[in-house]
Amino acid sequence: MLTLAQSLLPGVVEQALPIGLPGRPMLLALDGVATVFLLILFTLGTAAAVTACATPPQATARALPCFIGAMSLALLAADGFTLLLGFEAMSLASFVLVLTHPSEDTARAAKLYLGVALLAGACLVGAMALLGALPGGLDLRFAAIRAHPPEGLRAAAILALVLVGGGAKAGLVPLHVWLPPAHAAAPGHVSALMSGAMTKVALYVMLRLLLDLCGPAQPLWWGVPLIVAGAASAVLGGVRANLEPDLKSTLACSTIEHVGFIAIGLGLALCARAADLSSLAALALGGALLHAMAHGGFKGLLFLVAGAVQHETGTKLFSGLGGLIHRMPVTTAAALVGAASLAALPLTAGFAGEWTLFQAALGAPRIGGLWFQTLICVVVALMALAAGLAAAASVRLIGIAFLGRPRMPRTAAAYEVGRFARAGMIGLAAVILVLGLVPGAFLSLAAPALRALASADAPVRDFGLTVAPQAASPGYAAPAIALLLAVIAAAAFWLIRRHTAQGHRTGPAWDGGFGAAPVWLPFGDPLTQSSAASFAQPLRRILATTLLGVQEDVDMPREADPRPARITVTQYDPAERLLFAPVGRAREWLSDRADRLQFLTIRRSLMVMVTVLILFLAAIALAEQL
Amino acid sequence: MTALLALLAVLLHVALMLVAAPILAGLLRRAQARLMGRIGPPVFQPVRDLVRLARKQPVLAENATWLFRVAPLAHFTAVAAAAALVPSFTLGMTTAPLSDLLVVAGLFALARCVLALAAMDIGTAFGGLGASREMTFGSFAEPAMLLVVLTLALLAGTTNLDAIATLLREGSVGLRVSLGLALVAILAVAIAENARVPVDNPATHLELTMVHEAMTLEYSGRHLALLESAAWLKLLVWLTLIGTVFAPFAIGAADAPLGWLSGIAAWAAIVLLLAGALALFESSIAKMRVFRVPEFLGIAVLLGLLAAIFLFVSQGFI
């Protein structure tokens, strides 16, 4: 596979397009880093396009190809202008796609999304301008920027701008608030692309700008903001994924978590490279790229599943689903494959990525002094907590939506989705099953990227069958563990066949001695099984009371009042309350002030104009002096 | 020859684990009964229970699916694979290159998730309750476990269990405060993972207080036999894991069959010692409220954190 990748990529070739800014043609190039991300994009794009065949053609037919094309342009860009053009076109196309089914909720989600996308774009334009401000004037070609990497204060400003710009688009805490509503509002196959590929493009931009264009000679603390934001995203996303009331926003919150994991990998790679530990940097970066591939695959798959469920049952709320395993067997099998990966269970794609990232984190104390080591300890604990929360969230997702008894008549009468939607799901499921079984082969695909950015080989051994953090260590050999599990399962199965009573009888569920359901409830009383809210109750009380300000109000009827008791749960995302709400208020205040400018007398408006002109000239004069 | 011996060691190790697990459960019950002033069931009662369950045909709920029927086998397979990876009486087995601590932790997570899903398959109230609590405890046990792994990985430079045990057996690491703190942390994790008092009560008959048992309420016959033996095996694997890492003094090498005998004796002694301590601990403490468990595991996390930081400070670890 490695040789195949090398034969396809004889070297980085730059291709100039006949269009672009005056005198500066747009440049395209395909290097190792872009290859990995294009692989994710095209795999997902194919699955999404196949699934889109089943939906009404007018719904997404125009914007979807634009969306995929814009992402490809951003990934293939070899100069700043092309990169920004692709990035902005991607934001615009996905904004249109979010609005596919217009309603009040989607409109609000799309508005918030557009605002954050504008912020991200503005920051990235600033970062690009700072990067391109070379001694010989503004030059946005990547090759020119690489020759003169930024230093000192300018580099720090670029780091801050890229963190805000890329982080907002990728969904890193604290700029993640837009992500759950926007991803939940779009149709299933669009959400699959947004969650699986678009967040990866944002991570790619951070990777390209910070690890590649800013050069290797950056200080050690550079990776720390990424690690901290990544760890916060992982935990906050994990907690929220356990509390959301519907299928799609659960998946979107888990995207925040996994983006956090990948950001931790990027941060560790930055720190390790600053400390001249190239093999550790390759391990961290390899883990980040492997997890990006894995997450692209399984999150895309799960969003396709969510789209199928919504299409067939008419709802994405957990309170209406349940028991789909009886009616939609193929969709349920695909959901199980995706959820196992989301929970990072061994032999799945998600486990391979997280295993490599954990190995990088466990090796990271070599990088710095005591403060850095303590930080790494805390980050390891938070990553483990996030992994546990992801497992809980995926059990909740499968258990509530696909197992148990249906909670609405329409769910009980759902049908399996059509063949196009099935083909999309089965194809993606096959890809991530293979990725889980031979992660080393996929890690070898990232080898050119690792050699270019970390100047070390991919942490792979035995023809890609083993992922090994160091040359001497045993590592993670997924095929051998699969063999072990198969042998044990076969032996146990044979023993059971030989030595136990065969066959089974069926009867009503024991259910702790509950009586059978009355005749007017043919599926039993759906309310006597766990709901999504009750499944999340322990975690909600333990973690979310402080983290999300959860309040539970129980409305208990008085004696002899036959109305049922109701519980109302309110929660706030901390970023929403501490960051977005004040910014919103400030915007209101500012627009209020600006509004008054419209109603000035001629005398006053002339005065305002002259004052602005004088200030502008003074600023130019000051700049000339400096 | 050496490869053959290593393979033989694996087979013997797995066979010993499978045989010893129900007997250990019987011994534990007997010891606890004695501590409470009862005579208690015979030591071989768990084995008899298994035989009884194997003879009975399982009764499935009407809406049980294939997942409900496959889950016991998958659960048992995951636990048994973890058992094959954790060395007991000898090092250098054929499975040694695979025995990664993160993989072992992952296999336990796999077993936990499969059982939680099976518990939710029929749609009963207690199944969902048990699954929810089990997954909650699991997410709090994970950080403590990973911090212990971090401490061990810092000492040994790898997360491979066999390599860690080899290094600690040679004694070059010496006695360390960090290892002591990590031991306490991993004991707390083991108690939570195995659903023992004070996190859960394995002997309870009241559904509301159940965690692990609530998930297996609907199972009977050979399915229940598999789940019960998996639970016993899991306890033995955890005790063996703790013994191998923190007391690897008498473990032999795979190419010295004579050393196996002393290794088996030492393994039995360590496991019996830990089981005795567990019986004493369980008899002297009451089960705690569900919402107190995170505090219990939070202390384990703090100890794990202290263990790692102590290592940095004491070693000037760079």
Side-chain angles (χ1 to χ4, degrees):
Chain A
M1 217 160 207
L2 180 61
T3 46
L4 182 76
Q6 277 165 345
S7 65
L8 285 174
L9 289 172
V12 181
V13 188
E14 254 186 22
Q15 179 73 43
L17 295 184
I19 49 171
L21 293 177
R24 297 208 172 111
M26 287 165 63
L27 295 175
L28 297 183
L30 180 64
D31 67 350
V33 190
T35 319
V36 173
F37 285 89
L38 280 172
L39 197 70
I40 301 172
L41 172 61
F42 289 154
T43 311
L44 260 178
T46 312
V50 170
T51 310
C53 296
T55 51
Q58 69 277 12
T60 58
R62 281 183 222 110
L64 193 66
C66 296
F67 185 36
I68 297 177
M71 285 195 273
S72 322
L73 186 67
L75 292 176
L76 282 170
D79 71 311
F81 174 70
T82 316
L83 181 80
L84 290 174
L85 187 71
F87 196 79
E88 293 305 304
M90 169 185 92
S91 296
L92 206 61
S94 56
F95 168 70
V96 173
L97 285 168
V98 168
L99 279 170
T100 308
H101 302 299
S103 74
E104 207 167 301
D105 279 347
T106 47
R108 197 178 310 123
K111 212 166 91 182
L112 181 61
Y113 172 49
L114 192 65
V116 174
L118 282 175
L119 171 74
C123 289
L124 286 181
V125 168
M128 216 65 224
L130 279 175
L131 267 174
L134 302 181
L138 189 70
D139 193 345
L140 292 177
R141 287 175 302 141
F142 286 172
I145 297 174
R146 276 192 204 104
H148 302 278
E151 282 168 9
L153 213 57
R154 186 159 72 97
I158 291 171
L159 174 69
L161 285 172
V162 172
L163 278 177
V164 174
K169 200 77 187 142
L172 280 182
V173 166
L175 296 168
H176 63 282
V177 173
W178 63 273
L179 198 146
H183 287 205
H189 59 282
V190 176
S191 316
L193 270 176
M194 286 177 72
S195 240
M198 192 176 77
T199 54
K200 305 298 173 303
V201 174
L203 286 165
Y204 163 82
V205 169
M206 293 169 94
L207 176 73
R208 176 66 78 193
L209 263 52
L210 294 181
L211 264 88
D212 183 11
L213 296 185
C214 282
Q218 299 299 347
L220 196 140
W221 61 267
W222 257 55
V224 174
L226 263 177
I227 296 176
V228 172
S233 307
V235 171
L236 193 64
V239 174
R240 277 195 63 180
N242 276 290
L243 302 180
E244 292 297 313
D246 76 83
L247 198 54
K248 277 179 148 179
S249 51
T250 297
L251 293 175
C253 288
S254 126
T255 295
I256 300 175
E257 181 208 332
H258 288 276
V259 164
F261 267 100
I262 299 170
I264 291 174
L266 295 184
L268 286 175
L270 271 171
C271 290
R273 212 172 54 165
D276 270 336
L277 296 167
S278 57
S279 65
L280 183 63
L283 184 67
L285 189 58
L289 292 178
L290 188 61
H291 201 58
M293 291 190 230
H295 179 252
F298 72 72
K299 194 50 65 66
L301 173 64
L302 284 171
F303 266 114
L304 291 186
V305 166
V309 167
Q310 195 180 3
H311 188 259
E312 295 303 315
T313 64
T315 182
K316 56 183 179 175
L317 289 174
F318 283 124
S319 56
L321 299 171
L324 290 175
I325 188 170
H326 299 279
R327 306 290 306 177
M328 304 173 76
V330 177
T331 310
T332 306
L336 278 171
V337 171
S341 220
L342 193 150
L345 300 180
L347 302 183
T348 62
F351 183 79
E354 287 188 16
W355 189 88
T356 318
L357 285 173
F358 267 116
Q359 289 294 337
L362 295 179
R366 276 183 293 156
I367 292 174
L370 191 59
W371 66 271
F372 189 79
Q373 292 166 336
T374 312
L375 173 77
I376 291 298
C377 284
V378 176
V379 167
V380 165
L382 290 179
M383 282 166 79
L385 178 64
L389 289 171
S394 57
V395 165
R396 174 171 174 266
L397 191 149
I398 297 289
I400 303 287
F402 294 92
L403 304 179
R405 289 171 285 123
R407 291 177 177 80
M408 283 209 309
R410 176 147 182 208
T411 313
Y415 283 101
E416 186 58 87
V417 278
R419 59 178 193 278
F420 284 115
R422 276 204 307 263
M425 290 190 291
I426 293 172
L428 263 190
V431 170
I432 65 163
L433 280 177
V434 174
L435 172 49
L437 283 178
V438 278
F442 284 78
L443 201 49
S444 318
L445 285 178
L450 299 185
R451 263 198 297 277
L453 294 183
S455 44
D457 278 321
V460 174
R461 238 194 6 236
D462 307 336
F463 313 106
L465 293 180
T466 309
V467 182
Q470 299 116 25
S473 73
Y476 168 55
I481 291 168
L483 184 70
L484 178 71
L485 280 169
V487 167
I488 290 176
F493 186 72
W494 181 76
L495 272 177
I496 291 165
R497 265 289 150 90
R498 285 283 308 256
H499 295 289
T500 64
Q502 287 308 297
H504 63 262
R505 286 174 292 150
T506 50
W510 156 238
D511 199 8
F514 261 70
V519 278
W520 62 87
L521 286 169
F523 314 107
D525 185 350
L527 294 180
T528 59
Q529 58 182 333
S530 272
S531 70
S534 66
F535 188 88
Q537 187 235 26
L539 275 173
R540 190 170 66 226
R541 287 220 183 140
I542 294 161
L543 277 178
T545 37
T546 44
L547 204 57
L548 299 177
V550 161
Q551 280 187 334
E552 295 181 353
D553 296 310
V554 181
D555 171 27
M556 188 64 78
R558 287 207 308 220
E559 271 178 68
D561 188 351
R563 121 194 114 83
R566 298 222 172 268
I567 181 167
T568 332
V569 179
T570 47
Q571 67 181 60
Y572 300 95
D573 197 286
E576 207 171 334
R577 188 189 265 179
L578 298 176
L579 187 68
F580 278 69
V583 168
R585 279 199 296 276
R587 191 195 67 101
E588 292 284 316
W589 184 82
L590 271 177
S591 66
D592 220 40
R593 289 290 135 115
D595 211 32
R596 290 185 198 170
L597 292 179
Q598 284 187 19
F599 306 105
L600 294 179
T601 56
I602 285 195
R603 197 157 43 104
R604 284 196 174 173
S605 56
L606 278 177
M607 200 172 75
V608 168
M609 267 192 255
V610 171
T611 318
V612 169
L613 190 65
I614 290 172
L615 282 178
F616 184 63
L617 289 173
I620 287 180
L622 207 67
E624 296 252 306
Q625 289 286 314
L626 290 173
Chain B
M1 191 59 197
T2 320
L4 205 64
L5 275 177
L7 190 63
L8 200 65
V10 175
L11 294 177
L12 184 63
H13 160 75
V14 173
L16 276 177
M17 281 274 204
L18 289 176
V19 171
I23 298 175
L24 178 75
L27 278 172
L28 203 57
R29 280 186 202 169
R30 181 90 171 175
Q32 269 168 344
R34 281 291 160 88
L35 283 169
M36 291 172 193
R38 293 185 282 120
I39 295 176
V43 171
F44 286 97
Q45 188 61 41
V47 183
R48 290 181 191 163
D49 285 346
L50 282 187
V51 173
R52 174 176 57 87
L53 286 172
R55 281 202 202 119
K56 293 193 172 192
Q57 241 186 5
V59 183
L60 297 182
E62 272 139 5
N63 61 341
T65 63
W66 59 268
L67 196 134
F68 189 78
R69 276 185 282 159
V70 172
L73 184 63
H75 180 80
F76 180 82
T77 304
V79 175
L85 294 183
V86 175
S88 59
F89 60 86
T90 175
L91 294 177
M93 296 190 296
T94 314
T95 50
L98 305 179
S99 63
D100 189 86
L101 268 172
L102 296 179
V103 172
V104 172
L107 286 170
F108 285 134
L110 174 64
R112 185 165 61 225
C113 286
V114 166
L115 192 57
L117 284 183
M120 299 183 78
D121 183 49
I122 293 172
T124 58
F126 290 123
L129 190 85
S132 157
R133 290 178 176 174
E134 177 89 347
M135 294 316 292
T136 306
F137 296 166
S139 27
F140 286 101
E142 213 94 341
M145 179 68 191
L146 254 291
L147 284 172
V148 174
V149 174
L150 174 68
T151 307
L152 295 174
L154 289 174
L155 284 173
T158 169
T159 52
N160 186 278
L161 197 49
D162 199 75
I164 292 172
T166 309
L167 189 93
L168 293 178
R169 185 179 57 171
E170 284 161 6
S172 58
V173 173
L175 270 180
R176 282 175 178 276
V177 185
S178 284
L179 280 180
L181 292 170
L183 175 63
V184 181
I186 204 173
L187 283 174
V189 175
I191 285 172
E193 285 270 341
N194 285 292
R196 310 298 301 193
V197 177
V199 173
D200 186 7
N201 186 355
T204 186
H205 291 289
L206 181 64
E207 287 97 338
L208 269 180
T209 61
M210 289 177 175
V211 180
H212 180 266
E213 296 293 311
M215 295 194 290
T216 60
L217 269 180
E218 298 293 330
Y219 275 111
S220 53
R222 58 173 187 273
H223 297 146
L224 188 58
L226 266 177
L227 289 177
E228 295 267 294
S229 45
W232 299 330
L233 185 59
K234 193 172 167 189
L235 178 64
L236 180 63
V237 175
W238 269 100
L239 297 186
T240 308
L241 175 70
I242 294 170
T244 305
V245 172
F246 293 95
F249 317 116
I251 300 182
D255 50 352
L258 278 181
W260 292 0
L261 284 179
S262 66
I264 291 175
W267 175 49
I270 292 277
V271 166
L272 284 178
L273 185 76
L274 284 170
L278 180 65
L280 258 179
F281 181 71
E282 282 198 308
S283 310
S284 57
I285 200 165
K287 182 184 173 302
M288 55 173 67
R289 274 189 73 204
V290 170
F291 291 103
R292 293 283 305 282
V293 172
E295 295 171 19
F296 176 74
L297 288 169
I299 293 173
V301 172
L302 280 185
L303 286 174
L305 207 58
L306 267 183
I309 293 176
F310 223 100
L311 202 61
F312 296 139
V313 175
S314 67
Q315 222 172 12
F317 187 91
I318 294 288

